[in-house]
Amino acid sequence: MTDIQKLAELIKNSNKIVFFGGAGVSTESGVKDYRSKDGIYNTALNYGKPPEEILSHGCFFDDTELFYRFYRDYFLGEAEPNFTHYALAELEKSGKQVTVVTQNVDSLHQKAGSKNVLELHGSVARNYCTKCKKDYTAEYIKNYPENVPRCECGGVIKPYVTLYGESLDDRTVNEAVYAIANADLLIIGGTSLAVYPAASFVRYYRGDNLVIINRESTSYDSYASLVFHDSLGKIFREVMKIIK
């Protein structure tokens, strides 16, 4: 039996599946990752500050113009879900309890049809006024005629995205840890497991079926039942052919 066949069998025989995903899930949709050669941290030039500083709580409030110039360039694109997003949504629709725990903020899992999605770092799809707390869509931000979007009350609008210097949402963290701890199968995809505290959640998994799909090796490879150093889309295409 090949490793692809083994993964298909694990998915077939599991009812509580958690997919823990990182930036690599969305790169096949054209979304830049963070730390690769072509990622945001290595291509974001001419902003005067490094991305980590621009995407910080302090920069948002102290230099909102710079924050939004960068944010508009890198986070308000027109990306569409890819095969991995749709495959996970299809597994959920088939009746399995699939929980997606994502470090991404693009909301592509929901766009593909997944319902049970825990966004550890928030989402560009949700925004709020820092003054009156009114909610706004990403479309409002995109179409706002000035660089810094403002509420009807005059307050600055902020994305529901966890910036550097901010804490993760406690409720989302607790739900993610609970889902991972109680999963029959944990699939880690498109992440090097280098971003903390999110990456540390993997240690709560108590099951025997840990699968890692990432182009490069991770610190958890030696603990996994199956490891694929390959494209997520390629692996899921082969697996879904067998499952169907």
Side-chain angles (χ1 to χ4, degrees), residues 115-134:
K115 304 297 183 184
N116 194 14
V117 182
L118 299 174
E119 296 171 306
L120 293 175
H121 298 139
S123 170
V124 299
R126 303 190 305 277
N127 307 270
Y128 69 98
C129 172
T130 55
K131 185 177 180 181
C132 74
K133 308 306 178 186
K134 181 178 179 179

Side-chain angles (χ1 to χ4, degrees), residues 27-236:
T27 53
E28 291 176 39
S29 293
V31 178
K32 280 184 177 289
D33 64 10
Y34 294 90
R35 292 171 176 79
S36 71
K37 182 180 68 173
D38 298 318
I40 291 175
Y41 291 159
N42 291 314
T43 60
L45 306 175
N46 303 319
Y47 289 92
K49 295 180 181 178
E52 295 96 325
E53 188 173 343
I54 299 172
L55 295 173
S56 70
H57 178 88
C59 186
F60 178 83
F61 287 100
D62 296 337
D63 195 346
T64 314
E65 286 280 351
L66 174 62
F67 173 88
Y68 264 113
R69 184 159 64 90
F70 185 90
Y71 183 79
R72 287 177 179 278
D73 287 346
Y74 284 96
F75 290 91
L76 293 180
E78 300 293 338
E80 294 294 328
N82 59 54
F83 190 91
T84 300
H85 296 110
Y86 286 116
L88 292 167
E90 188 173 330
L91 289 175
E92 183 180 336
K93 290 173 187 173
S94 73
K96 292 187 179 294
Q97 184 176 325
V98 179
T99 301
V100 174
V101 180
T102 179
Q103 300 174 77
N104 297 334
V105 297
D106 50 42
S107 289
L108 291 180
H109 285 290
Q110 291 95 322
K111 196 170 184 179
S114 289
K115 304 297 183 184
N116 194 14
V117 182
L118 299 174
E119 296 171 306
L120 293 175
H121 298 139
S123 170
V124 299
R126 303 190 305 277
N127 307 270
Y128 69 98
C129 172
T130 55
K131 185 177 180 181
C132 74
K133 308 306 178 186
K134 181 178 179 179
D135 290 331
Y136 285 91
T137 65
E139 289 303 315
Y140 182 88
I141 307 298
K142 290 179 185 178
N143 297 327
Y144 196 78
E146 299 175 20
N147 180 43
V148 177
R150 291 188 176 273
C151 174
E152 296 169 350
C153 76
V156 174
I157 297 173
K158 183 179 185 295
Y160 270 111
V161 171
T162 304
L163 304 178
Y164 287 96
E166 297 179 342
S167 300
L168 301 184
D169 178 71
D170 286 341
R171 181 176 178 179
T172 304
V173 167
N174 291 336
E175 290 180 0
V177 168
Y178 180 84
I180 290 170
N182 291 279
D184 301 328
L185 170 63
L186 174 60
I187 303 174
I188 298 171
T191 174
S192 59
L193 296 173
V195 177
Y196 285 82
S200 65
F201 297 170
V202 178
R203 72 173 186 268
Y204 291 99
Y205 180 58
R206 298 187 295 231
D208 298 320
N209 301 317
L210 171 61
V211 177
I212 296 177
I213 309 171
N214 195 54
R215 290 186 181 276
E216 290 140 12
S217 60
T218 78
S219 57
Y220 276 84
D221 283 10
S222 60
Y223 301 100
S225 309
L226 293 170
V227 177
F228 300 89
H229 290 155
D230 210 332
S231 156
L232 271 163
K234 176 183 175 182
I235 298 301
F236 269 101

